[in-house]
Amino acid sequence: MYSILDIDLDYFNLAKDPIRALRHLLHWASRPVDFVVERHSHAFQRWKRRFRAGRIPAPSHILHVDEHHDMMDERANTNIGNVMYQAMRTWPRCKVHWLIQQPIDSPAMWLTDATWKSLRRRFSRGPIIPPDWPRPDIVSVCTSPAFLPSTLRQGLLEVVQMFRGANSEERTAEPPHAQRISSRFACAGR
């Protein structure tokens, strides 16, 4: 069994106390954050590189902590809107739990009936981590600067930095200009 904790900071847009909620989640993980990227598709590429290099087995579980389910299309190329679809396609036994307080929609709205029928048994959603969900072997964080007010993002990144380990990949894909992105883009479409 191999588990990934996949955190997109835009999840915390609607949290009552975002800093506390992120700390709670990272304490639950009981391991350091492995890497921080700007876009979800970058996290997926890192997972796949580790898998192809033989550094990790095929993931059996992904806890997807995100404002969006990321199953918005079936395109062959990975993009920020189809990362979970790509993960479930790449690893056909992998289960995904979308941790969400109030789902904005459902993957069934975006995927063909046949695709959704083939994936739905491995996809769950809800406001709590399932009790039998395994603790993660990898923790990745996506900053999503266009979907998060910069002040909130900076506060959350300070928490993430406290949970970075000595073995974490030091490169953070947060470009210097991302800190200047206005919060008016926080609600822009993906």
Side-chain angles (χ1 to χ4, degrees):
M1 193 174 330
Y2 197 86
S3 182
I4 296 173
L5 172 55
D6 170 45
I7 302 170
D8 191 328
L9 295 181
D10 70 4
Y11 170 85
F12 300 96
N13 272 326
L14 302 176
K16 280 185 184 177
D17 186 346
I19 302 300
R20 184 171 180 240
L22 178 57
R23 279 191 186 129
H24 179 75
L25 183 62
L26 291 171
H27 278 292
W28 170 84
S30 299
R31 65 162 290 111
V33 171
D34 292 279
F35 56 85
V36 178
V37 295
E38 182 177 309
R39 293 191 175 112
H40 239 137
S41 52
H42 298 154
F44 180 61
Q45 295 305 322
R46 288 195 184 187
W47 304 338
K48 283 194 329 185
R49 274 197 304 267
R50 287 177 175 207
F51 172 70
R52 288 182 182 144
R55 291 173 51 202
I56 67 169
S60 60
H61 294 78
I62 298 175
L63 181 60
H64 182 60
V65 182
D66 192 337
E67 189 173 15
H68 309 93
H69 52 70
D70 292 347
M71 293 179 63
M72 295 179 180
D73 70 55
E74 299 177 48
R75 293 182 188 136
N77 294 332
T78 305
N79 59 62
I80 62 173
N82 74 6
V83 172
M84 286 302 106
Y85 164 74
Q86 294 291 347
M88 294 180 84
R89 196 178 122 234
T90 301
W91 298 299
R93 294 177 188 234
C94 185
K95 295 178 182 179
V96 171
H97 181 75
W98 178 29
L99 189 67
I100 187 73
Q101 297 299 317
Q102 292 288 336
I104 55 176
D105 63 11
S106 165
M109 296 172 58
W110 298 90
L111 304 174
T112 64
D113 290 342
T115 298
W116 179 237
K117 185 178 179 180
S118 72
L119 298 177
R120 70 179 176 212
R121 288 189 184 105
R122 296 187 289 129
F123 184 87
S124 60
R125 66 179 180 205
I128 61 170
I129 299 168
D132 59 345
W133 205 263
R135 304 252 185 212
D137 297 290
I138 289 180
V139 176
S140 60
V141 174
C142 175
T143 63
S144 291
F147 299 97
L148 198 62
S150 60
T151 53
L152 176 56
R153 187 178 68 254
Q154 288 306 318
L156 293 168
L157 286 172
E158 288 174 17
V159 173
V160 168
Q161 191 58 37
M162 291 186 315
F163 285 86
R164 297 291 297 259
N167 294 329
S168 65
E169 296 176 20
E170 290 304 317
R171 291 178 306 166
T172 297
E174 181 81 7
H177 73 277
Q179 295 179 20
R180 295 190 302 268
I181 294 176
S182 168
S183 63
R184 67 187 165 97
F185 294 109
C187 297
R190 287 185 147 212

